[in-house]
Amino acid sequence: MRAEQDEAAALLDGLHFDTLLRALTAGRGYEPALRDPPGRQGWSDTIPNSLSFGQLETKVDQLARLLAFNRAQPGARVAILAPLGPEAIISVLACLRAGLSPMLMPLHGNELELLRLIEASEAVMAIGVSRVGTLRPLLVLRELAVRAFGTRFVGGFGAQVPDGIGPLDTLMDSAGLHPLPEVEQRMMLRVVDAATLTGPLEISEREVLGKALEISRLLKPMASSRIVTTLVGGDLAALASGPAMAMLTGVELLPLGLFSLGDLQACIEGGRNVHLVLPGTMEPALAHSRLASHPALASLVFVQRAVGNRARPAIDRQDVAIVDIDVTSAAEISVSRR
């Protein structure tokens, strides 16, 4: 066990999201990094798309330069109101590259709860998406920016960006000439408990990548695989099991953004091995569905947020690795294989 810990520490030394993304861009720039679920347009007005590692690198760099152009001080906080999809991932990576501290906020919080989080984090910028189902995150952020002292820039992804909010898709195209600041140290991420909305709590890139390494060693995802995650929040469990593990292993990530059984079934099709990340509460439903016997399933990751109340009907497949992520808080988890 000590040897494994020493090896993991050596692998993580000096490693962060920028070094991972640039290495993947240099070696496998044309391969897919992020892919939208087929039904995305129905719940977000955005046509389903995919991003290669090279395209992801470009968008991260553009947004980082745009955020830096707004003259935020090093380490300034940026609130992000979006599901854990391409926009949220680009925003988190861009903030870290620009020397800023991203905070992912739960979409289901009401305005008073979100206002408390923004004020507690002292966010000076906010980023969101135009629509998620019936939710209109950008309208919420615009209201919060008026009420929260110090929030001076709000940017939005999508075609339907309301007045008073910077259209990021357009602004990013002209951000290439803005210089990036010299980042002396990597900033912390801030996470919020999706159930209780407690936080924000700080976590480091090393903590996120360390947990992603633990998960990946238990699953051993291959380059020909894909990770499909149904998690929409942005706590340590979601970040480590989704985007961090995908970047650490170079595997394509399909974040659903909004759960749809049809989208989930479509994401599993295609003949590639699938590593499926689900809330622990969905395990009984999966066990009694036809998806449980799908030949593409290589592994299952269950995020257990109510550790004391598990129902575990047996998924009778010796060829499928099952990993449990026990969530103690938004910033503390433990990983184990069954």
Side-chain angles (χ1 to χ4, degrees):
M1 179 64 71
R2 180 64 187 174
E4 288 184 3
Q5 291 174 342
D6 290 343
E7 182 186 357
L11 285 171
L12 294 170
D13 281 344
L15 189 67
H16 48 71
F17 288 119
D18 268 353
T19 56
L20 277 173
L21 181 53
R22 284 171 172 153
L24 288 166
T25 299
R28 299 164 54 188
Y30 293 104
E31 295 182 24
L34 298 173
R35 189 182 300 275
D36 284 322
R40 166 152 189 184
Q41 189 168 11
W43 55 262
S44 72
D45 300 326
T46 298
I47 297 173
N49 192 17
S50 65
L51 290 175
S52 67
F53 288 111
Q55 291 169 323
L56 177 60
E57 161 66 24
T58 297
K59 287 188 175 294
V60 168
D61 198 67
Q62 287 175 332
L63 183 55
R65 292 174 187 275
L66 179 63
L67 295 176
F69 177 70
N70 281 275
R71 295 185 171 83
Q73 295 296 314
R77 281 67 154 171
V78 181
I80 300 168
L81 193 59
L84 191 63
E87 295 88 354
I89 293 169
I90 289 168
S91 299
V92 168
L93 299 180
C95 288
L96 294 171
R97 182 171 294 188
L100 307 173
S101 176
M103 177 181 69
L104 287 160
M105 299 194 299
L107 283 164
H108 60 273
N110 63 42
E111 286 192 17
L112 285 177
E113 292 165 329
L114 297 178
L115 179 62
R116 180 191 64 78
L117 291 171
I118 284 181
E119 290 182 333
S121 68
E122 300 179 335
V124 300
M125 295 182 182
I127 297 173
V129 292
S130 56
R131 182 166 83 89
V132 184
T134 60
L135 303 175
R136 299 296 187 272
L138 289 180
L139 294 178
V140 174
L141 284 181
R142 186 171 65 179
E143 288 297 313
L144 295 176
V146 172
R147 300 167 65 184
F149 179 76
T151 306
R152 63 173 187 243
F153 174 81
V154 180
F157 290 98
Q160 305 297 322
V161 177
D163 292 340
I165 294 177
L168 293 179
D169 294 315
T170 302
L171 294 173
M172 285 165 59
D173 288 339
S174 59
L177 297 178
H178 302 325
L180 272 174
E182 293 290 335
V183 179
E184 295 183 2
Q185 63 180 25
R186 304 292 292 184
M187 293 298 115
M188 302 290 279
L189 296 89
R190 284 171 167 74
V191 291
V192 178
D193 188 289
T196 64
L197 277 86
T198 53
L201 305 172
E202 290 188 339
I203 55 174
S204 67
E205 286 179 89
R206 186 185 179 92
E207 289 175 280
V208 178
L209 290 171
K211 290 301 180 182
L213 181 60
E214 281 188 52
I215 300 167
S216 66
R217 282 180 157 178
L218 296 176
L219 302 183
K220 299 179 174 57
M222 306 299 291
S224 60
S225 311
R226 61 174 42 156
I227 298 169
V228 177
T229 179
T230 65
L231 305 183
V232 297
D235 60 2
L236 176 57
L239 290 170
S241 62
M245 187 168 68
M247 291 185 66
L248 195 63
T249 58
V251 172
E252 177 187 57
L253 176 66
L254 283 84
L256 289 190
L258 190 69
F259 181 77
S260 160
L261 182 58
D263 282 358
L264 177 57
Q265 290 173 326
C267 290
I268 292 176
E269 299 298 337
R272 299 173 66 184
N273 288 338
V274 172
H275 305 274
L276 179 59
V277 184
L278 292 164
T281 53
M282 290 183 66
E283 183 173 357
L286 177 67
H288 291 103
S289 74
R290 284 181 292 180
L291 281 181
S293 60
H294 200 290
L297 279 183
S299 63
L300 292 164
V301 178
F302 290 112
V303 178
Q304 309 286 356
R305 299 186 188 278
V307 178
N309 299 311
R310 291 187 199 167
R312 281 185 177 168
I315 296 178
D316 187 19
R317 291 196 49 186
Q318 299 301 313
D319 59 325
V320 173
I322 300 179
V323 168
D324 288 302
I325 298 177
D326 291 318
V327 178
T328 304
S329 74
E332 186 179 357
I333 61 175
S334 59
V335 179
S336 60
R337 179 165 174 169
R338 290 188 195 172

